[in-house]
Amino acid sequence: MKWFYSFSAVVFIALSACTTSTTSTSSADEKIDSLMALMTLEEKIGQLNLPSAGQFTTGEAESSDIAKKIEQGLVGGLFNIKSVPAIREMQSIAVEKSRLKIPLLFAMDVIHGYESVFPIPLGLSCTWDMELIEKTARMAAQEASADGINLTFSPMVDLSRDARWGRISEGSGEDPFLGSEIARAMVRGYQGDDLTANNTIMSCVKHYALYGASEAGLDYNTVDMSRNRMYNEYFPPYKAAVDAGAGSIMASFNEIDGIPATANKWLLTDVLRTQWGFKGFVVSDYTGVSEMVDHGYGNIQEVSAKALAAGLDMDMVSEGLLNTLAQSLKEGKITEQQINAACRRILEAKFKLGLFDDPYRYCDENRAKNEIFTAENRAFARKVASESFVLLKNQNNLLPLKRTGTIALVGPLADASNQMSGTWSVAARHNESISLLKGLQNAVGNQAKVIYAKGSNLDADSIFEAKATLFGKTLHRDPRPADVIREEAVRIARNADVIVAAVGESAEMSGESSSRTDIGIPETQRDLLKALLKTGKPVVLVLFTGRPLTIKWESENFPAILNVWFGGSEAGDAIADVLFGDVNPSGKLSTTFPQHVGQVPIYYAHKNTGRPLGEGKWFSKFRTNYLDVSNDPVYPFGYGLSYTTFSYSDPKLDKASITLDESITVSVEITNTGNRDGAEVVQLYIRDLVGSVTRPVKELKAFRKITLKAGEKQTVSFTLSKNDLSFYNSDLNFVAEPGDFEVFVGGDSQNVKKTTFTLK
Ligand code: BGC
């Protein structure tokens, strides 16, 4: 359906020129010029306003305050609104009742899938499969756009090395290189090659910047970091997303250098626009503008003016910009050009999405009926989930399980379909997600018997459990005493051939505002685990978590551990696929699992210090170490087992040295030495031995996921050139410095083979 403006002759002439989606930049510019020439100051400021539609449903909207504001041209976009009829209704107010009929953006947190939910981002990153990850974003865009959405607040690319921080679950782990690859893949997936297509949506990258480095792992907390570390470690994923063409970016809640990111000109303008060439719009996070009052950065008028002047274009929820910019302009605190620049960027986004051509482009009831939560999409979500699981331990090949005998399934996460999608899955159909119990039953049919008991609550403390099961994601707390609940499970476990223990965190124990100081499995669940061990039966631990957990004791005492994160709507079937060996696990950790929370932040790419401990030792006086715990993680970055085994040859170089203009090729032969087909993520790390600023002991620079049949060999070659050997020096110039480099290749960050070369 074509849509035409028709308000008045003047408006019509100016705006009917806006009805072509395939516009060149300059003609879009001209059209925006003519539209802006018609806009009042109030209407321009209105475009900068992004309220939450909250619980609005069709009907209520008409009489709501938001509906009135839309009609008055005081809203640029809406979020937290779901379904084509609801969105169509809001859009119709904008394009039929407002003076200039400017269409609205409709945003949502489509984070890891829409109704077909994929694993939480931290899990997804453990697939190390960029094609697969891109396809998840593509499918999420397809479903969301079929339901009226045209902008997603994703990907979240905040690097984090602090497992206490609950939002580590929403990112891609600890590494700048892997994080950057994933950032690009996600943006490509959401936006495709044509943003005006009705099945692509605009990506809003978040949270810019450094949000994952909040002090003490406490959400929204202060960040303080050297510029060198920002540029070398924390910035690359944001820059990668910008380079991939992300249409918008979200300012983070934290402050940087004592200035909240939301009003940090250095961040939002100097780095983002001047250095990186970002052309899209910057939106605040939820009430990010008004929160600057509590940061101690001024009253609402002052912080709003500072945010606009710093380069913020859109205000999510606060309405600080809406309510104060006109006054600030009058007082000379901001300029009209600044308002115009921000307004233009919002209008440009609407042009890019083709909304001026057809504001109902994303409102197609037929698509909503036929393209969401389809059997095909769910099958893909199941495949993705099975590839995100990380096999942490598998003594004596306890896994895969056989479909015979009796399997006892116990644990608070075993029969919990509403937990499976994990945090930030607002569009999910939680009750239709596949629980592990259902997955096991589906998998064995009548070939084996599955018996179930809960065995323990999530946590002994009912108040803690209430906080960890918000948003209707109840775990149906069992009011009986813990030992009674446990004994019931032990009784059924005694009759089983094998025990599967589904333990760990609930979905809402990670995510926003879910920081923890103790990152272990809750004590009452560990009591259950101890009791299960005492039965003498083999116990497979299926670990649900949104963060790395301290599972040293578990790693020492259980023969098999499969880390399944929160696998999404099809989690239960996917877990069964791996437990029974229909899928051979291939996930590799994108985040280090510490022994103890006191080691946090722990990450493989650390600096050497002047007093490194030295290989193979665990304590030496006056060295970099703890008295009570070794420096080792329980499971390192890049780690993950398979039901088969792989061996690596020594890496070979095609040259012993290169100049800055040359590249060097590293080749390694990988053999599947087991008796099953399997996939392996071949990882390449470098160490720049001497730098004008010190370099990490290892840095991931390349990886490839390959599939090998049992007994098959393959040579994998990686080419390294100047860019891969460069880093930001103390002047923040990106340089490669001549000297010696070590190259490591292996199946994780610790178990590697080494060679060396020289950069001349
Ligand atoms: C979160 C963002 C999210 C926004 C909108 C905020 O609380 O930090 O990640 O996109 O809400 O829902």
Side-chain angles (χ1 to χ4, degrees):
M1 181 183 71
K2 272 272 173 198
W3 169 71
F4 296 102
Y5 296 93
S6 59
F7 174 68
S8 72
V10 182
V11 176
F12 180 77
I13 291 162
L15 299 181
S16 58
C18 305
T19 57
T20 314
S21 61
T22 49
T23 44
S24 67
T25 319
S26 64
S27 67
D29 282 348
E30 282 162 23
K31 286 167 187 167
I32 292 171
D33 285 344
S34 42
L35 176 54
M36 285 183 61
L38 300 171
M39 294 173 81
T40 62
L41 178 70
E42 208 186 21
E43 284 165 337
K44 286 177 187 169
I45 294 171
Q47 286 301 306
L48 319 187
N49 191 27
L50 179 67
S52 162
Q55 300 303 312
F56 282 125
T57 54
T58 312
E60 272 175 281
E62 286 285 338
S63 57
S64 74
D65 192 28
I66 285 184
K68 208 180 304 147
K69 282 187 179 135
I70 296 172
E71 199 174 325
Q72 292 165 340
L74 301 181
V75 174
L78 275 183
F79 74 110
N80 279 348
I81 177 167
K82 185 171 188 283
S83 88
V84 170
I87 289 176
R88 181 182 280 282
E89 184 189 359
M90 290 296 192
Q91 191 69 298
S92 73
I93 302 173
V95 301
E96 285 164 31
K97 297 195 177 160
S98 77
R99 191 179 76 91
L100 291 177
K101 308 182 181 340
I102 300 173
L104 298 172
L105 295 169
F106 289 95
M108 193 190 263
D109 289 279
V110 182
I111 308 292
H112 47 113
Y114 189 67
E115 289 189 14
S116 303
V117 183
F118 303 110
I120 55 166
L122 188 60
L124 195 57
S125 68
C126 294
T127 65
W128 294 57
D129 184 335
M130 297 309 117
E131 223 174 279
L132 193 83
I133 290 175
E134 180 172 338
K135 210 170 153 201
T136 65
R138 185 85 284 286
M139 196 172 277
Q142 186 112 22
E143 287 199 2
S145 63
D147 218 13
I149 301 300
N150 49 43
L151 171 67
T152 177
F153 299 133
S154 173
M156 193 274 222
V157 303
D158 305 321
L159 190 135
S160 185
R161 293 165 171 181
D162 194 331
R164 294 170 298 181
W165 191 54
R167 301 196 82 171
I168 196 171
S169 58
E170 294 177 54
S172 296
E174 71 184 45
D175 187 62
F177 183 82
L178 179 61
S180 299
E181 293 290 310
I182 293 173
R184 273 189 281 272
M186 296 288 287
V187 172
R188 278 197 306 265
Y190 289 129
Q191 298 195 160
D193 324 314
D194 177 10
L195 256 187
T196 64
N198 70 353
N199 60 1
T200 57
I201 60 178
M202 186 174 277
S203 161
C204 177
V205 178
K206 68 190 188 186
H207 308 82
Y208 182 66
L210 321 179
Y211 183 34
S214 55
E215 283 177 0
L218 191 60
D219 213 356
Y220 321 119
N221 205 8
T222 304
V223 171
D224 198 4
M225 185 186 289
S226 73
R227 296 245 160 134
N228 194 269
R229 177 165 248 178
M230 291 182 201
Y231 276 79
N232 279 308
E233 299 169 30
Y234 283 75
F235 275 174
Y238 306 107
K239 182 170 186 303
V242 166
D243 290 344
S248 64
I249 197 163
M250 186 186 294
S252 53
F253 286 125
N254 54 282
E255 65 171 61
I256 294 169
D257 291 336
I259 300 174
T262 313
N264 193 314
K265 178 181 170 291
W266 175 76
L267 195 70
L268 301 189
T269 298
D270 301 352
V271 176
L272 183 63
R273 296 198 185 277
T274 312
Q275 294 175 21
W276 298 353
F278 178 65
K279 298 273 186 286
F281 73 89
V282 183
V283 61
S284 77
D285 202 346
Y286 200 105
T287 59
V289 170
S290 55
E291 286 174 26
M292 289 191 283
V293 176
D294 282 327
H295 274 278
Y297 203 55
N299 62 33
I300 187 71
Q301 185 185 339
E302 285 161 350
V303 296
S304 301
K306 285 179 188 175
L308 182 82
L312 187 87
D313 303 308
M314 199 168 212
D315 174 356
M316 190 194 296
V317 178
S318 303
E319 305 211 326
L321 267 54
L322 183 74
N323 295 328
T324 68
L325 287 188
Q327 183 62 25
S328 293
L329 180 64
K330 238 188 251 159
E331 293 169 10
K333 306 252 167 64
I334 53 165
T335 65
E336 196 163 351
Q337 283 90 313
Q338 287 168 335
I339 294 174
N340 286 343
C343 173
R344 173 174 291 274
R345 291 186 193 121
I346 306 303
L347 296 176
E348 276 167 357
K350 296 178 179 185
F351 258 98
K352 286 181 197 159
L353 286 163
L355 289 170
F356 282 104
D357 190 31
D358 178 2
Y360 300 112
R361 165 158 289 180
Y362 306 88
C363 292
D364 177 343
E365 277 85 353
N366 265 336
R367 285 192 60 211
K369 234 178 271 148
N370 299 322
E371 295 182 23
I372 301 175
F373 208 55
T374 61
E376 190 192 341
N377 292 6
R378 296 184 67 181
F380 179 63
R382 175 173 176 170
K383 172 182 153 68
V384 175
S386 68
E387 295 188 21
S388 72
F389 305 151
V390 184
L391 182 62
L392 297 176
K393 187 173 175 188
N394 193 19
Q395 207 175 315
N396 302 326
N397 296 324
L398 175 56
L399 291 175
L401 300 177
K402 293 178 196 66
R403 288 171 157 97
T404 54
T406 301
I407 301 166
L409 175 64
V410 298
L413 278 310
D415 183 21
S417 65
N418 65 6
Q419 304 293 314
M420 295 299 100
S421 288
T423 190
W424 260 140
S425 41
V426 281
R429 305 189 190 188
H430 292 296
N431 295 330
E432 291 174 60
S433 295
I434 311 295
S435 69
L436 179 52
L437 177 58
K438 186 94 199 316
L440 290 190
Q441 285 163 342
N442 289 344
V444 301
N446 49 22
Q447 292 170 275
K449 195 168 156 200
V450 177
I451 46 177
Y452 160 77
K454 189 172 184 183
S456 89
N457 280 314
L458 179 72
D459 196 276
D461 176 357
S462 61
I463 296 172
F464 176 89
E465 183 159 330
K467 288 188 280 187
T469 50
L470 291 175
F471 309 123
K473 294 183 190 168
T474 174
L475 276 166
H476 305 287
R477 193 172 174 81
D478 190 329
R480 295 174 297 164
D483 54 344
V484 174
I485 308 171
R486 191 164 56 239
E487 269 317 303
E488 182 180 68
V490 169
R491 258 196 313 278
I492 70 147
R494 281 204 199 98
N495 296 323
D497 299 299
V498 63
I499 303 168
V500 174
V503 294
E505 295 192 316
S506 62
E508 295 303 326
M509 273 169 79
S510 64
E512 189 168 348
S513 185
S514 294
S515 297
R516 296 180 66 196
T517 57
D518 175 351
I519 52 171
I521 297 176
E523 209 48 49
T524 190
Q525 295 187 52
R526 285 176 44 135
D527 290 343
L528 168 66
L529 293 178
K530 285 175 199 156
L532 294 174
L533 279 181
K534 280 205 197 123
T535 64
K537 304 280 179 181
V539 184
V540 177
L541 209 147
V542 173
L543 188 63
F544 289 84
T545 181
R547 55 159 58 82
L549 295 177
T550 44
I551 49 167
K552 187 164 191 287
W553 171 78
E554 291 81 352
S555 74
E556 287 165 354
N557 288 286
F558 289 83
I561 306 177
L562 182 68
N563 190 59
V564 298
W565 310 110
F566 290 96
S569 46
E570 316 309 314
D573 283 333
I575 299 169
D577 288 340
V578 171
L579 289 179
F580 292 107
D582 303 328
V583 172
N584 188 352
S586 62
K588 298 272 191 177
L589 295 178
S590 61
T591 180
T592 302
F593 273 49
Q595 299 181 60
H596 191 282
V597 68
Q599 293 175 294
V600 167
I602 179 172
Y603 50 96
Y604 83 92
H606 60 82
K607 299 291 183 77
N608 202 38
T609 81
R611 294 188 176 194
L613 179 61
E615 297 249 326
K617 299 191 186 143
W618 102 251
F619 180 79
S620 179
K621 192 68 185 165
F622 305 121
R623 293 269 135 191
T624 302
N625 46 215
Y626 300 99
L627 277 177
D628 52 352
V629 170
S630 79
N631 288 348
D632 297 325
V634 176
Y635 297 112
F637 176 83
Y639 173 85
L641 302 173
S642 162
Y643 293 153
T644 187
T645 47
F646 299 96
S647 75
Y648 283 69
S649 71
D650 287 323
K652 285 203 193 83
L653 299 171
D654 65 340
K655 318 180 179 70
S657 62
I658 54 168
T659 63
L660 278 175
D661 311 324
E662 291 174 328
S663 58
I664 192 163
T665 300
V666 188
S667 304
V668 62
E669 188 180 75
I670 295 104
T671 309
N672 180 340
T673 47
N675 51 17
R676 274 175 174 264
D677 302 350
E680 168 73 339
V681 180
V682 184
Q683 301 160 41
L684 180 146
Y685 301 84
I686 63 161
R687 179 173 182 185
D688 185 348
L689 287 172
V690 177
S692 61
V693 296
T694 61
R695 309 303 307 131
V697 296
K698 270 187 198 122
E699 291 177 87
L700 182 72
K701 288 292 169 182
F703 59 86
R704 195 161 312 141
K705 191 165 186 174
I706 57 168
T707 302
L708 293 179
K709 296 208 176 313
E712 197 187 348
K713 287 181 189 348
Q714 187 179 324
T715 298
V716 171
S717 298
F718 299 103
T719 301
L720 298 173
S721 51
K722 187 176 162 195
N723 207 43
D724 306 299
L725 308 177
S726 297
F727 61 91
Y728 290 91
N729 66 14
S730 56
D731 296 325
L732 301 179
N733 291 321
F734 195 58
V735 293
E737 294 178 345
D740 292 335
F741 285 79
E742 291 178 339
V743 182
F744 312 87
V745 183
D748 67 62
S749 60
Q750 278 187 351
N751 187 8
V752 288
K753 292 193 166 161
K754 184 173 97 176
T755 182
T756 55
F757 72 91
T758 306
L759 177 66
K760 288 194 295 204

